[in-house]
Amino acid sequence: MAATDEAGLLARAGRGDRAAFREFHDQLSTPLHSLALRMAGNASDAEDLLQETFVKIWRHAPNYDPRKSKPFTWAVTIMRRTCIDHQRHRRSRPVTEPWPEGPAGAMEPAVEETVRGQAERAEAVQNVRAALGHFAEPRRQALELALFSGLTHIEISQRLGQPAGTVKSWIRRGLLNLRETLTESGP
């Protein structure tokens, strides 16, 4: 889907159009989930982060300005910030998840669905990794640090020894190229 179509969907969602928001969600949920999975490290947190991200997108859709960024870039920025906040919160308070109960050797339907979803998302993550493999080294590294390590532009610029403006440009162009590559390769 073209960015202008996404911008139109987002504008309609900003006016309360739930059908437009559903369509926007359907278009972006796979790549955003792949990035959330990579940043969170587990499917459960990734699902929660994706849901939280789309709640924020719904709430802030009226404030979206197409002159400042493309809808995909805007959504990735919201998702990235949500993941960073989650990581910071998790570091301050570790949480353990109990093993789901059920008959020995049998999976509960929710667990079975999670396993299926994990397999589908693993394929999506593999597609994102393959797409990132085509980027030039410093740009790829900057994009990976931003998306998967939760580092800020300043932290990345310090780590790579590059000006912050250069890093921001690399990441922005990288997100646009990543989106284009993932869109061309299909869902």
Side-chain angles (χ1 to χ4, degrees):
M1 173 174 282
T4 54
D5 295 332
E6 289 174 354
L9 290 173
L10 200 49
R12 289 175 32 215
R15 293 188 299 272
D17 185 336
R18 291 178 186 264
F21 182 74
R22 262 191 300 279
E23 191 172 338
F24 184 80
H25 174 276
D26 292 345
Q27 293 297 322
L28 298 182
S29 62
T30 298
L32 288 179
H33 186 272
S34 295
L35 297 175
L37 184 60
R38 179 78 188 259
M39 288 185 77
N42 67 67
S44 176
D45 285 348
E47 289 289 334
D48 292 344
L49 291 166
L50 186 65
Q51 181 176 352
E52 187 176 341
T53 296
F54 275 107
V55 167
K56 289 177 181 179
I57 289 171
W58 172 256
R59 287 183 185 150
H60 296 287
N63 303 327
Y64 170 71
D65 185 353
R67 294 170 296 180
K68 293 183 179 178
S69 67
K70 303 261 188 237
F72 179 77
T73 306
W74 183 72
V76 166
T77 301
I78 293 172
M79 190 269 314
R80 183 176 168 270
R81 289 178 181 159
T82 302
C83 290
I84 290 169
D85 289 345
H86 171 75
Q87 288 173 345
R88 287 181 181 147
H89 177 73
R90 190 175 190 130
R91 282 184 213 135
S92 67
R93 219 174 80 185
V95 178
T96 58
E97 295 182 23
W99 184 259
E101 295 183 21
M107 284 195 241
E108 293 182 10
V111 174
E112 184 176 339
E113 184 61 35
T114 300
V115 171
R116 185 175 329 165
Q118 285 175 340
E120 290 170 358
R121 284 182 283 286
E123 182 179 349
V125 167
Q126 190 175 23
N127 291 340
V128 170
R129 285 184 180 157
L132 285 173
H134 298 289
F135 287 86
E137 181 55 35
R139 289 177 174 87
R140 181 189 56 77
Q141 192 175 13
L143 193 56
E144 286 179 345
L145 289 170
L147 294 173
F148 307 135
S149 298
L151 298 179
T152 66
H153 291 139
I154 301 298
E155 292 168 333
I156 295 168
S157 69
Q158 291 170 347
R159 186 173 285 187
L160 298 179
Q162 296 290 332
T166 300
V167 168
K168 287 180 184 180
S169 295
W170 287 351
I171 292 170
R172 183 175 186 284
R173 278 184 259 152
L175 288 172
L176 294 173
N177 291 339
L178 182 63
R179 175 175 185 249
E180 188 176 302
T181 301
L182 291 174
T183 302
E184 289 172 2
S185 65

